[in-house]
Amino acid sequence: MSEEECGDSPMEELLSRQRKEKKDLQAKFLAMKKTAKSGNKKQQKESGEEMIKMEKEMEERHKREVEEIKEKSGAAAPQEVKSGEKGEEKEEGGAFYKEKTTKGKNQKRMERKAEERKKQAAAASVDEEAAKTSMRTMEMKAVVETLLPRGLSLVDIPPDGDCLFHAVAHQLTIGGKECLGADLRRRAAAFIRSHKDDFLPFLSTEDGDILDEFQFEEYCVKVEKEACSGGQWGGEPELRALAETLQRKIEV
């Protein structure tokens, strides 16, 4: 009795079994991918590598099995299925790993772009700082040129928020009158309080409204306090108050 009368030939049976094994492997890959996606990057990479290994081992085994049948029966080797048909199953095996590789490349590309933007921002910051330094240098030069003919010189005062009061105190000390910036704060606040009507029109909130009674007192308290304790920075009103209470001309 011939093989045709008995049913499928050994080669057909083998190919049928191999197709089933491929489908079973794809189902296993899907389950592995779902599990890997819920894990960390290391687990995902290991799963991808394991799937590629399993697929390769199965392909090699299938080839050996086909060769063995060919040797026994002299049957022709089965033609490879073109891409787009059942060959899509082959691509599916390493899909997860390929996807992760693509994502890795995109991530690296994004990181490179981010690094470039960071460098550009740093360069822009350096240029901006250089411009500020240049402007400050020009400004200081102009001040020095103004002071020299008058026999005056620049004195560095620490920019601690109390610098205006320390600067006035420094000049008073040179003139023979010892005092501290904290003392000048209290004197300025006291003068502003006692001359409320003179100063109130020049004091306003951030919205531009004139200070009410409570806000005015709060402002005076801040003038009294040093900057480290939440004090108000000195400005034109404080200079005016100091000039009046000290009976000195203050030139800015």
Side-chain angles (χ1 to χ4, degrees), residues 149-213:
R150 303 170 64 176
L152 302 175
S153 62
L154 284 174
V155 176
D156 288 329
I157 302 295
D160 56 1
D162 298 314
C163 50
L164 181 144
F165 301 98
H166 290 323
V168 176
H170 176 271
Q171 292 298 298
L172 291 173
T173 300
I174 291 177
K177 185 175 182 179
E178 291 284 343
C179 69
L180 299 174
D183 297 330
L184 295 180
R185 273 186 171 277
R186 286 190 289 271
R187 293 188 64 170
F191 188 86
I192 292 172
R193 275 198 185 95
S194 61
H195 296 78
K196 177 181 176 181
D197 293 338
D198 294 332
F199 286 90
L200 199 55
F202 303 98
L203 303 175
S204 61
T205 64
E206 293 181 356
D207 296 329
D209 299 326
I210 299 296
L211 302 184
D212 57 27
E213 292 291 334

Side-chain angles (χ1 to χ4, degrees), residues 23-251:
K23 289 182 180 180
D24 292 342
L25 187 63
Q26 300 313 313
K28 186 174 182 179
F29 283 167
L30 288 174
M32 291 175 67
K33 285 192 287 184
K34 289 180 181 179
T35 303
K37 284 182 179 179
S38 62
N40 55 37
K41 292 183 178 180
K42 182 180 179 182
Q43 291 175 329
Q44 293 172 355
K45 182 179 179 181
E46 290 175 351
S47 295
E49 292 174 349
E50 184 180 355
M51 285 189 283
I52 291 175
K53 181 181 178 182
M54 291 170 65
E55 186 177 34
K56 184 177 180 181
E57 289 176 349
M58 186 183 69
E59 287 179 352
E60 292 176 351
R61 178 170 56 80
H62 284 182
K63 286 181 181 179
R64 289 196 304 271
E65 291 173 346
V66 170
E67 291 298 327
E68 290 174 0
I69 294 293
K70 283 171 58 181
E71 290 177 0
K72 291 180 180 179
S73 62
Q79 295 182 352
E80 293 185 1
V81 181
K82 295 182 180 179
S83 176
E85 299 175 3
K86 292 185 179 180
E88 292 178 354
E89 296 177 356
K90 180 178 178 180
E91 295 181 2
E92 184 67 23
F96 176 78
Y97 184 71
K98 291 177 183 177
E99 180 184 353
K100 296 304 294 182
T101 302
T102 303
K103 287 183 178 179
K105 290 180 179 178
N106 291 337
Q107 181 66 25
K108 289 180 180 179
R109 191 180 300 112
M110 291 174 64
E111 289 176 355
R112 284 198 299 270
K113 289 183 178 180
E115 186 64 25
E116 289 175 2
R117 287 195 293 269
K118 186 177 180 181
K119 289 180 179 179
Q120 291 173 356
S125 178
V126 171
D127 291 341
E128 184 179 353
E129 190 62 32
K132 288 181 180 178
T133 303
S134 178
M135 291 177 63
R136 177 174 172 78
T137 301
M138 294 173 63
E139 184 182 69
M140 296 301 289
K141 182 179 179 182
V143 172
V144 170
E145 290 175 350
T146 302
L147 295 177
L148 283 176
R150 303 170 64 176
L152 302 175
S153 62
L154 284 174
V155 176
D156 288 329
I157 302 295
D160 56 1
D162 298 314
C163 50
L164 181 144
F165 301 98
H166 290 323
V168 176
H170 176 271
Q171 292 298 298
L172 291 173
T173 300
I174 291 177
K177 185 175 182 179
E178 291 284 343
C179 69
L180 299 174
D183 297 330
L184 295 180
R185 273 186 171 277
R186 286 190 289 271
R187 293 188 64 170
F191 188 86
I192 292 172
R193 275 198 185 95
S194 61
H195 296 78
K196 177 181 176 181
D197 293 338
D198 294 332
F199 286 90
L200 199 55
F202 303 98
L203 303 175
S204 61
T205 64
E206 293 181 356
D207 296 329
D209 299 326
I210 299 296
L211 302 184
D212 57 27
E213 292 291 334
F214 175 79
Q215 291 170 330
F216 178 76
E217 178 56 30
E218 186 178 37
Y219 164 78
C220 292
V221 170
K222 287 184 177 180
V223 172
E224 285 179 324
K225 291 182 178 180
E226 293 183 86
C228 61
S229 300
Q232 174 88 18
W233 286 16
E236 185 176 351
E238 289 73 34
L239 278 176
R240 179 185 169 191
L242 288 174
E244 293 289 346
T245 190
L246 295 171
Q247 293 296 298
R248 298 291 183 93
K249 179 181 179 181
I250 299 177
E251 187 175 348

